[in-house]
Amino acid sequence: MSQIVLGVSGGIASYKAAELLRLFTEAGHSVRVVPTRSSLHFVGAATWEALSGQPAQTEVFEHVDEVAHVRIGQQADLVLVVPATANLLAKAAAGIADDLLTTTLLTARCPVMFAPAMHTEMWEHEATTDNVRILRERGATVIEPAVGRLTGVDSGKGRLPDPVHLFEAALRLLEPQRAGDMVGMRVVVSAGGTREYLDPVRFLGNKSSGLQGYALAEAAAARGAEVTLVAANVALPDPADVDVVPVVSTQDLREAVLKAAADADAVVMAAAPADFRPAEFVDAKIKKTHDGSAPSILLVENPDILAELVSNRPVAERRPVIVGFAAETGDATGSVIDHARAKLQRKGCDLLVVNDVSAGQVFGSPDNQAVILSSDGSAQEVALGPKIDLAHTIWDVVVQRSDS
Ligand code: CTP
């Protein structure tokens, strides 16, 4: 659990800070809101106190005995200012300390992030540009405002980015050891479920949503890696800074993955490729027989891409690190982990991320729980949590392996 200070300055977007606060408290962090006097015109102290469960003070001279202006900054793991007005950025750049938020900014020694929101003219004014540059030079993170609808009917650059986006950016600052640790790495991630067409309209497919693969791609890109995401039939927006290669069948997936893997440092096969495909594809839609009979579909085996990646890598080579996924259920012949260990050995990959799907969870869910088995015999359990957390833990293990 981290101690977060959420500074709120006087902009209309301050209502969105309430959503950000909720994301932090739900993730188990402690949040102290420090609103500026003018921000209370938009959202009152009662809202902040109720949502955070802590006092929301604006002035240095309230509760003087607590020396809040020094203590709050010193104890913080992260200070965020959401939204940051042009006035607040100017005060922070000049070191002015005339209320609790600006004094806290001077006493904080932790990462500081500003999320500006203002009209385009104010954002583009030289005074603001200079202040942003000064703050960045001093090591603060200043998030670029989004482009879109501003207060009233006008639109342009200056909009506060989505609270989820700010939450993710803030989490990265809380885990500085991960920031940029994948710069210079090239990674390939496969995601989604392949489709094997019988005729122009029908296919054999599976339930894979692609969420875990997309989380892996997003996490690697956020840590500075160059990412190719081979996506099989996924209905999700492209992650930022990721090269997305759409594919349909297992054979397409194989071709795209092997091509991208040729020069990669790591390949993660999070996709669910169909193991079989119809022996033949019928060009015209298969018709009903009208005599009560049903057609038989002869299947042939698809290539095993993971096994091929392993066999393409010279025996003594450690690059690329090859990671497989396995959705397993326990049965009379062994537990989930027994089956997974046998699969890791059979496939010959370096890591196998094992999901227990006995209870039918995982598919399409935003959360995941897994065990990461390593070919050196070690196992790391990852508790149930957002798929992005599992993604980061997988990359932690991959990065460690690449460094050793
Ligand atoms: N995989 C692959 N090519 C295939 C099938 C699977 O590369 N044709 C990869 C998956 O992306 C996953 C791993 O292999 O990373 C394990 O998939 P799984 O379906 O569990 O493996 P199978 O060998 O098909 O095992 P099972 O017999 O349990 O289905």
Side-chain angles (χ1 to χ4, degrees):
M1 183 182 84
S2 302
Q3 305 282 342
I4 293 166
V5 172
L6 176 58
V8 182
S9 61
I12 186 82
S14 51
Y15 73 94
K16 291 191 190 167
E19 171 79 13
L20 182 62
L21 165 57
R22 202 181 51 82
L23 290 169
F24 279 114
T25 51
E26 280 179 3
H29 300 290
S30 159
V31 185
R32 171 94 186 221
V33 182
V34 184
T36 63
R37 224 164 304 138
S38 54
S39 78
L40 298 179
H41 291 295
F42 298 99
V43 180
T47 301
W48 300 125
E49 293 188 348
L51 289 177
S52 69
Q54 301 194 43
Q57 226 175 293
T58 61
E59 305 305 327
V60 176
F61 295 106
E62 297 167 43
H63 306 289
V64 176
D65 54 317
E66 290 179 13
V67 205
H69 67 291
V70 178
R71 194 178 39 80
I72 294 174
Q74 282 174 338
Q75 291 177 351
D77 297 308
L78 177 65
V79 176
L80 310 169
V81 185
V82 181
T85 58
N87 184 49
L88 188 284
L89 293 173
K91 288 210 271 182
I96 292 173
D98 61 355
D99 62 6
L100 188 55
L101 177 55
T102 47
T103 42
T104 299
L105 286 169
L106 287 186
T107 52
R109 292 294 173 268
C110 59
V112 176
M113 180 179 118
F114 297 90
M118 63 195 75
H119 272 81
T120 312
E121 293 79 357
M122 295 174 88
W123 172 249
E124 288 176 349
H125 194 283
E126 256 179 58
T128 307
T129 317
D130 283 349
N131 292 330
V132 168
R133 182 183 41 76
I134 289 169
L135 291 168
R136 284 181 175 153
E137 279 170 6
R138 287 187 197 141
T141 299
V142 183
I143 302 278
E144 282 294 307
V147 176
R149 183 91 186 264
L150 304 171
T151 324
V153 290
D154 42 354
S155 67
K157 189 163 185 178
R159 201 178 142 84
L160 189 74
D162 193 53
V164 173
H165 175 89
L166 297 177
F167 178 62
E168 284 168 0
L171 288 186
R172 285 197 285 279
L173 290 176
L174 278 173
E175 291 163 11
Q177 74 279 12
R178 280 174 172 164
D181 67 343
M182 292 178 73
V183 170
M185 282 182 82
R186 266 189 43 71
V187 304
V188 181
V189 177
S190 71
T194 61
R195 291 181 182 178
E196 305 296 338
Y197 276 85
L198 306 168
D199 70 14
V201 293
R202 302 186 183 91
F203 59 83
L204 301 175
N206 63 67
K207 283 184 6 182
S208 178
S209 63
L211 282 168
Q212 186 63 65
Y214 271 52
L216 278 155
E218 186 188 326
R223 291 163 73 160
E226 207 179 300
V227 186
T228 302
L229 174 61
V230 183
N233 313 296
V234 181
L236 293 169
D238 289 356
D241 301 323
V242 167
D243 182 20
V244 182
V245 182
V247 295
V248 176
S249 68
T250 296
Q251 284 168 299
D252 301 339
L253 183 74
R254 171 184 171 274
E255 205 174 300
V257 167
L258 294 186
K259 185 168 169 233
D263 187 29
D265 298 292
V267 184
V268 182
M269 285 295 297
D275 287 328
F276 303 98
R277 66 177 185 277
E280 68 168 328
F281 172 76
V282 184
D283 285 333
K285 190 181 162 201
I286 301 167
K287 297 286 183 209
K288 244 188 198 156
T289 49
H290 298 289
D291 61 3
S293 67
S296 299
I297 301 161
L298 183 67
L299 299 176
V300 293
E301 197 173 8
N302 266 330
D304 186 321
I305 306 161
L306 192 61
E308 201 169 337
L309 284 165
V310 172
S311 67
N312 282 353
R313 183 178 65 177
V315 178
E317 262 300 329
R318 297 170 62 90
R319 186 173 170 273
V321 176
I322 301 171
V323 184
F325 266 72
E328 298 288 340
T329 56
D331 59 23
T333 65
S335 68
V336 166
I337 295 297
D338 294 338
H339 289 309
R341 282 206 189 282
K343 186 172 285 184
L344 175 63
Q345 197 135 53
R346 204 166 58 238
K347 297 261 186 182
C349 52
D350 302 304
L351 303 169
L352 192 70
V353 183
V354 187
N355 296 130
D356 180 346
V357 289
S358 318
Q361 68 274 53
V362 177
F363 296 111
S365 150
D367 294 330
N368 207 350
Q369 180 177 28
V371 180
I372 305 172
L373 293 183
S374 175
S375 56
D376 64 15
S378 64
Q380 182 170 348
E381 276 196 48
V382 184
L384 184 66
K387 284 182 171 169
I388 192 80
D389 288 358
L390 174 59
H392 276 296
T393 309
I394 294 168
W395 290 127
D396 289 346
V397 180
V398 169
V399 167
Q400 225 170 40
R401 249 190 123 95
S402 312
D403 288 348
S404 61

